[in-house]
């Protein structure tokens, strides 16, 4: 007796239909078509999800690109400015300190070896200005001039001997002499007649004459300037005697296009 397999169908007349069974298995069940008014939501594909995510990330990171461009432009600007400044500085005239540095050291040793200067306030101040080595003789303890006058005291003359000795070590260097006073008004005031301006200029000229007496060639004196009380050394105390001073600057020759600053620094 023949058996009927699970994959075969039996027709009403008793015949076995194998073809119908295969068709029934292979035909998929169709989904129902939605009726009117029924909304269907499209199932997002993997590609659409990736595109949305990519757009979201791009919109949040756009400011980083703008910031990076800004930093790049700013850096380029500073590099250009730095190159321009360096080019200007390299072309500027520089001073040769090969002579004035040993002079500064020697003068410092002369001051240190003077026992009379050790008993009171040090009248010397040695530093570097934009012109060269500046030696300032101050009214510290011992007066440089008689009060209100232009004649150098014996103490001041002794100090100018030291200055002349070291200045002559650099015979090719020019000298600039500057006179300063304190803020006490001279006589009847400065509106008419004699004032601190004239006093400071005449004291600077007295220093010039003393240096010439100490064998400094007259042609080396390039400037004699009186500042009155306009540039006090102690702005917080303009009437202090320390504002009365004479500065002598040893000016080295300038070398165009070369940098020879050496160890130039305040002493």
């Amino acid at each position: 007796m023949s058996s009927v397999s699970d994959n075969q169908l039996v027709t009403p007349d008793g015949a076995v239909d194998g073809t119908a069974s295969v068709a029934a298995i292979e035909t998929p069940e169709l989904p129902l078509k939605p009726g009117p008014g029924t909304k269907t939501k499209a199932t997002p594909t993997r590609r659409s999800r990736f595109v949305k995510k990519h757009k979201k990330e791009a919109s949040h990171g756009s400011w980083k690109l703008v910031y990076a461009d800004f930093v790049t432009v700013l850096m380029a600007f500073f590099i250009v400015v730095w190159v321009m400044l360096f080019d200007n500085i390299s072309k500027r005239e520089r001073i040769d300190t090969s002579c004035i540095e040993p002079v500064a050291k020697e003068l410092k040793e002369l001051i240190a070896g003077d026992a009379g200067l050790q008993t009171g306030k040090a009248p010397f101040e040695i530093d570097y200005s934009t012109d060269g080595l500046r030696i300032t003789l101050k009214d510290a303890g011992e007066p440089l001039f008689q009060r209100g006058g232009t004649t150098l005291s014996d103490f001041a003359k002794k100090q100018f001997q030291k200055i002349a000795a070291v200045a002559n070590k650099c015979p090719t260097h020019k000298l600039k002499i500057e006179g300063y006073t304190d803020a006490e008004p001279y006589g009847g005031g400065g509106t008419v007649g004699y004032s601190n301006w004239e006093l400071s200029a005449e004291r600077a000229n007295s220093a010039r004459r003393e240096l010439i007496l100490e064998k400094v060639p007259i042609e080396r004196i390039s400037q004699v300037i009186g500042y009155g009380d306009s540039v006090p050394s102690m702005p917080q105390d303009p009437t202090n005697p320390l504002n009365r001073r004479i500065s002598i600057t040893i000016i080295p020759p300038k070398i165009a296009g070369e940098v020879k600053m050496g160890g130039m620094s305040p002493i």
Side-chain angles (χ1 to χ4, degrees):
M1 183 176 181
S2 63
S3 61
V4 180
S5 64
D6 295 336
N7 295 332
Q8 293 178 336
L9 296 176
V10 180
T11 60
D13 57 359
V16 178
D17 190 353
T19 303
S21 64
V22 174
I25 294 171
E26 292 181 355
T27 302
E29 184 178 357
L30 297 176
L32 297 176
K33 184 178 180 180
T38 305
K39 295 183 179 179
T40 58
K41 184 177 181 181
T43 304
T45 62
R46 183 178 180 183
R47 178 177 177 81
S48 65
R49 288 195 299 267
F50 175 76
V51 171
K52 289 181 180 179
K53 183 178 180 181
H54 178 71
K55 288 182 178 180
K56 186 176 180 181
E57 291 178 353
S59 62
H60 283 285
S62 59
W63 68 271
K64 297 178 182 178
L65 298 176
V66 176
Y67 178 74
D69 291 341
F70 170 75
V71 171
T72 302
V73 173
L74 192 63
M75 184 180 297
F77 170 76
F78 281 116
I79 291 174
V80 171
V81 172
W82 181 84
V83 170
M84 292 175 64
L85 287 176
F86 182 80
D87 186 60
N88 290 335
I89 291 173
S90 63
K91 292 178 181 177
R92 189 181 303 170
E93 289 184 330
R94 297 291 181 173
I95 62 176
D96 183 0
T97 61
S98 58
C99 184
I100 61 173
E101 286 182 348
V103 161
K105 183 179 179 181
E106 183 176 347
L107 181 58
K108 192 176 180 181
E109 291 173 353
L110 285 174
I111 296 170
D114 192 333
L117 296 178
Q118 307 307 315
T119 57
K121 297 179 180 178
F124 278 101
E125 184 177 291
I126 305 171
D127 64 350
Y128 288 99
S129 69
T130 54
D131 292 325
L133 178 65
R134 181 171 56 197
I135 305 165
T136 302
L137 189 57
K138 301 180 293 184
D139 235 355
E142 293 284 343
L144 302 179
F145 302 89
Q146 77 272 26
R147 186 172 179 81
T150 60
T151 303
L152 285 167
S153 65
D154 291 338
F155 171 79
K157 289 180 179 180
K158 184 179 178 181
Q159 308 316 313
F160 273 105
Q161 290 175 2
K162 297 184 179 71
I163 296 172
V166 297
N168 284 332
K169 300 283 185 179
C170 302
T172 61
H173 294 37
K174 296 289 186 179
L175 301 179
K176 179 172 69 173
I177 305 171
E178 299 164 304
Y180 305 86
T181 68
D182 57 26
E184 288 189 17
Y186 186 91
T191 54
V192 291
Y194 203 85
S195 69
N196 282 332
W197 289 100
E198 286 81 10
L199 180 63
S200 62
E202 289 191 13
R203 285 180 171 180
N205 203 34
S206 295
R208 178 190 67 85
R209 289 193 293 266
E210 188 65 26
L211 289 175
I212 292 172
L213 288 175
E214 295 297 334
K215 310 303 180 185
V216 174
I218 190 171
E219 61 271 12
R220 288 184 59 193
I221 310 296
S222 63
Q223 291 176 297
V224 178
I225 308 171
Y227 286 98
D229 57 0
S230 64
V231 190
S233 62
M234 303 182 68
Q236 72 281 5
D237 189 7
T239 60
N240 193 301
L242 291 176
N243 291 306
R244 301 194 293 263
R245 63 202 191 277
I246 296 291
S247 290
I248 299 168
T249 303
I250 303 176
I251 306 173
K254 294 183 178 180
I255 303 174
E258 295 185 22
V259 179
K260 284 194 173 184
M261 300 301 287
M264 196 168 179
S265 60
I267 296 177

